[in-house]
Amino acid sequence: MRKKFITSVSIIFILGLILFGCSKLNTKPAKYNPNKPIGEQLNYTLIGIEAGAGLMNTTQQALKEYPNLQKNHWQLMPSSTASMISTLDKSIKYKQPIVVLGWQPHWIFKKYKLKFLKDPKKVYGKSENITTITNKKMKNEKPGAFKLLQQFKWSPSNMSDVMMDVNNGIKPNIAAKRFIKKNPNLVKKWLKNIPNGHGQSVKLTYVAWDSEIASTNVVMELLKSKGYDASIYAMEVQPMWISVATGSADASLAAWLPNTSRTLFNQYKNKITIAGESLNGAKVGLVVPKYMKNINSIEDLNK
Ligand code: PBE
């Protein structure tokens, strides 16, 4: 009798524990609370992107330069652009607080209501120019393709058109072809006085950021339209720079200067040539959803 009682009590106890555990798992993290310190709500964590990205270096710098961020144990969590965006998406769904590393042009600014945190110390710089780098030989050995790279320049809104298509599921090279078809006047400027490539090979490397997927695919299609045998290769940040510096690739459209890619640029600047800037007025920094009303500046993270 007594034994039975003890068994049933322990079964109830165990069931209770399981239920408690499940309910814990099910609790959604709390909504953004403007009256509570933001660090506590976020576990003092900024959601990062690929290790090695310029924006990761700059953010480490920001953690050092803004007083008390490091003292308060704010940390930067490396991940990937894709998981940064899916974390952001989930947080926005439940109106939770979140701080991510972001940049513009990017479709997330069209899809969600987001804001850059003010950066009074200008650690992230004012504005960035997306710069086209080539290996040292390209200018002489592939002058036609080099000239096309020099002439390729578009606006943030042009780039967004291609990014939106790709984000809607259209293959990047198809999105690029569509853009080329829809913008004959731009294309005319880009292809002005470009000689036929007669099958000359041009290798472009890039990191699979939406902005670079867009620009690299458009340039590949432009080169192909002029008879060049153009191909593109996605890789990680460091190998992308090495590929151009060593000459295993001809060029890349993924250098964000003067600030974001500075460390890598300084490391390889004697081994590369700058062909031009494909886009002016890009921006990088810390980004939060607009519903985080009290958080408007990096300094507010200590509030
Ligand atoms: N980005 C996008 C890159 C450059 C392009 C801002 C993530 C970076 O190096 O951080």
Side-chain angles (χ1 to χ4, degrees):
M1 195 57 196
R2 204 182 145 81
K3 220 176 179 183
K4 232 181 181 176
F5 176 74
I6 291 177
T7 329
S8 18
V9 165
S10 35
I11 288 176
I12 289 169
F13 180 71
I14 289 169
L15 273 178
L17 268 185
I18 293 174
L19 279 177
F20 179 73
C22 288
S23 75
K24 270 251 143 152
L25 283 179
N26 274 330
T27 43
K28 285 182 214 114
K31 278 188 180 178
Y32 166 64
N33 179 348
N35 303 316
K36 215 174 136 187
I38 189 63
E40 259 173 48
Q41 297 183 61
L42 287 175
N43 243 326
Y44 300 93
T45 305
L46 309 172
I47 307 294
I49 53 168
E50 291 79 5
L55 195 43
M56 292 289 282
N57 300 332
T58 315
T59 303
Q60 294 292 3
Q61 194 65 30
L63 287 180
K64 279 188 212 142
E65 285 192 29
Y66 280 89
N68 299 328
L69 286 183
Q70 226 160 31
K71 206 180 99 208
N72 287 336
H73 306 293
W74 276 91
Q75 46 173 355
L76 173 58
M77 192 172 80
S79 77
S80 67
T81 301
S83 40
M84 176 276 281
I85 293 174
S86 80
T87 311
L88 179 68
D89 185 81
K90 275 186 214 132
S91 299
I92 288 176
K93 208 159 154 194
Y94 299 114
K95 291 241 169 17
Q96 290 155 11
I98 184 166
V99 181
V100 302
L101 309 200
W103 59 96
Q104 227 171 9
H106 202 292
W107 55 264
I108 57 171
F109 287 88
K110 288 212 173 136
K111 181 157 180 191
Y112 311 108
K113 288 183 180 142
L114 302 171
K115 60 186 178 189
F116 276 101
L117 294 186
K118 290 200 183 85
D119 172 22
K121 290 186 179 289
K122 293 275 168 285
V123 179
Y124 291 95
K126 269 199 185 137
S127 105
E128 295 281 273
N129 304 312
I130 309 184
T131 305
T132 306
I133 55 169
T134 76
N135 68 42
K136 285 273 181 203
K137 298 173 299 186
M138 191 189 184
K139 191 175 181 176
N140 288 327
E141 291 179 4
K142 303 177 180 179
F146 185 87
K147 189 175 164 74
L148 196 155
L149 290 177
Q150 279 181 310
Q151 290 176 179
F152 177 72
K153 186 169 191 135
W154 61 354
S155 68
S157 121
N158 294 150
M159 186 188 248
S160 292
D161 285 350
V162 179
M163 280 195 282
M164 268 327 231
D165 273 359
V166 174
N167 184 43
N168 288 333
I170 297 174
K171 272 175 128 191
N173 64 324
I174 305 291
K177 281 187 190 156
R178 252 166 81 150
F179 183 88
I180 287 173
K181 216 172 184 175
K182 275 198 280 183
N183 294 275
N185 291 337
L186 268 178
V187 172
K188 218 165 151 188
K189 270 203 255 168
W190 294 336
L191 298 184
K192 196 172 174 204
N193 297 328
I194 303 297
N196 193 290
H198 300 293
Q200 189 173 47
S201 100
V202 179
K203 291 194 169 104
L204 306 173
T205 52
Y206 66 109
V207 182
W209 292 308
D210 302 75
S211 37
E212 278 60 29
I213 292 173
S215 56
T216 311
N217 273 277
V218 170
V219 169
M220 171 178 73
E221 293 304 328
L222 291 169
L223 284 164
K224 281 186 180 168
S225 77
K226 275 288 169 181
Y228 292 86
D229 176 17
S231 48
I232 64 176
Y233 304 88
M235 46 186 69
E236 293 189 19
V237 187
Q238 192 89 21
M240 185 271 282
W241 283 84
I242 295 173
S243 70
V244 178
T246 58
S248 69
D250 292 295
S252 167
L253 289 105
W256 286 46
L257 293 171
N259 215 31
T260 308
S261 305
R262 186 178 49 202
T263 314
L264 287 154
F265 178 73
N266 285 338
Q267 201 175 333
Y268 296 109
K269 64 173 175 235
N270 298 325
K271 298 195 173 112
I272 59 179
T273 299
I274 288 184
E277 289 166 358
S278 66
L279 185 144
N280 301 120
K283 190 171 163 55
V284 302
L286 297 182
V287 172
V288 303
K290 281 195 176 152
Y291 56 74
M292 290 172 67
K293 288 219 162 61
N294 289 354
I295 311 299
N296 294 302
S297 158
I298 300 178
E299 286 171 334
D300 296 341
L301 295 178
N302 282 318
K303 267 192 192 165

